[in-house]
Amino acid sequence: MSVQQDKEDELQRRCNRNRKRSQRRKIYCPIHGCYLDSVSKKFYLYADTPGQLQARGVSSRNARMLLAQQQAIPLSDEWLEAFWCQECHQKTWYRIRKRNHIYEVSSVPAEIWQQVTGVIYPDHNPSVSEFTQRQVKKLGYHTGKDFR
Ligand SMILES: [Zn+2]
């Protein structure tokens, strides 16, 4: 009995050790299913309409109340993050939603960029934001050829 117990303890220890050694979160490439390496910090999303909060389980009354108090509600379990995939051979921005310790990985819709503060728009994003237009002016670029 006690021997059996020791064995279980040992197994448990080994599992914990493995878990500690692997710092990687379980975030996989949606195309290849392989681990993704994070290459940016997290940029948390905000909800600024009642509908966005209701979609996350907040009652419509509470959603309106929250948004009356502050313009945007930070979402602690949703963020944008750039990842490198060895198979894709490129850096891609993904929207991550954490649900019960499971990470949902999806592509980033254009309108979501506007919910995030501090994100520099990725090069391949076709929408020209106010931010990039300001940057273009500030940097003195004259044509789209200079600014990709
Ligand atoms: Zn990939």
Side-chain angles (χ1 to χ4, degrees), residues 18 21 32 34 36-37 39 43-44 53 56 58 77 103 110-111 120 134 140-141 146:
N18 283 343
R21 191 167 34 189
H32 302 99
C34 53
L36 291 172
D37 286 315
V39 291
F43 294 95
Y44 284 98
L53 288 172
R56 290 161 181 87
V58 180
D77 291 338
Y103 296 95
E111 66 266 21
I120 293 170
R134 269 204 308 276
Y141 288 148
D146 295 321

Side-chain angles (χ1 to χ4, degrees), residues 17-76:
R17 211 180 301 145
N18 283 343
R19 208 177 302 146
K20 233 178 224 167
R21 191 167 34 189
S22 157
Q23 294 285 341
R24 276 176 156 176
R25 291 163 296 167
K26 288 191 166 118
I27 299 179
Y28 307 101
C29 173
I31 302 158
H32 302 99
C34 53
Y35 272 116
L36 291 172
D37 286 315
S38 175
V39 291
S40 81
K41 59 176 188 161
K42 296 174 181 177
F43 294 95
Y44 284 98
L45 298 181
Y46 291 79
D48 56 7
T49 67
Q52 287 165 345
L53 288 172
Q54 280 174 256
R56 290 161 181 87
V58 180
S59 74
S60 74
R61 188 169 162 273
N62 282 341
R64 280 198 305 271
M65 241 166 52
L66 281 168
L67 287 167
Q69 286 160 6
Q70 49 182 308
Q71 279 194 323
I73 310 298
L75 303 169
S76 57

Side-chain angles (χ1 to χ4, degrees), residues 12 26 56 97 139 144:
Q12 193 63 41
K26 288 191 166 118
R56 290 161 181 87
R97 296 174 75 166
L139 296 170

Side-chain angles (χ1 to χ4, degrees), residues 51-141:
Q52 287 165 345
L53 288 172
Q54 280 174 256
R56 290 161 181 87
V58 180
S59 74
S60 74
R61 188 169 162 273
N62 282 341
R64 280 198 305 271
M65 241 166 52
L66 281 168
L67 287 167
Q69 286 160 6
Q70 49 182 308
Q71 279 194 323
I73 310 298
L75 303 169
S76 57
D77 291 338
E78 291 183 41
W79 64 89
L80 302 185
E81 193 171 347
F83 293 93
W84 177 265
C85 171
Q86 290 188 326
E87 297 294 322
C88 293
H89 291 287
Q90 66 175 20
K91 183 179 106 173
T92 312
W93 286 88
Y94 286 114
R95 172 192 189 170
I96 307 295
R97 296 174 75 166
K98 195 178 176 190
R99 294 276 179 275
N100 305 319
H101 305 288
I102 292 167
Y103 296 95
E104 294 171 17
V105 180
S106 56
S107 59
V108 184
E111 66 266 21
I112 287 245
W113 288 111
Q114 280 141 36
Q115 290 178 38
V116 183
T117 47
V119 168
I120 293 170
Y121 291 66
D123 295 341
H124 62 264
N125 193 316
S127 71
V128 177
S129 67
E130 277 187 296
F131 173 83
T132 50
Q133 282 176 337
R134 269 204 308 276
Q135 283 300 106
V136 168
K137 275 184 198 146
K138 204 159 69 185
L139 296 170
Y141 288 148

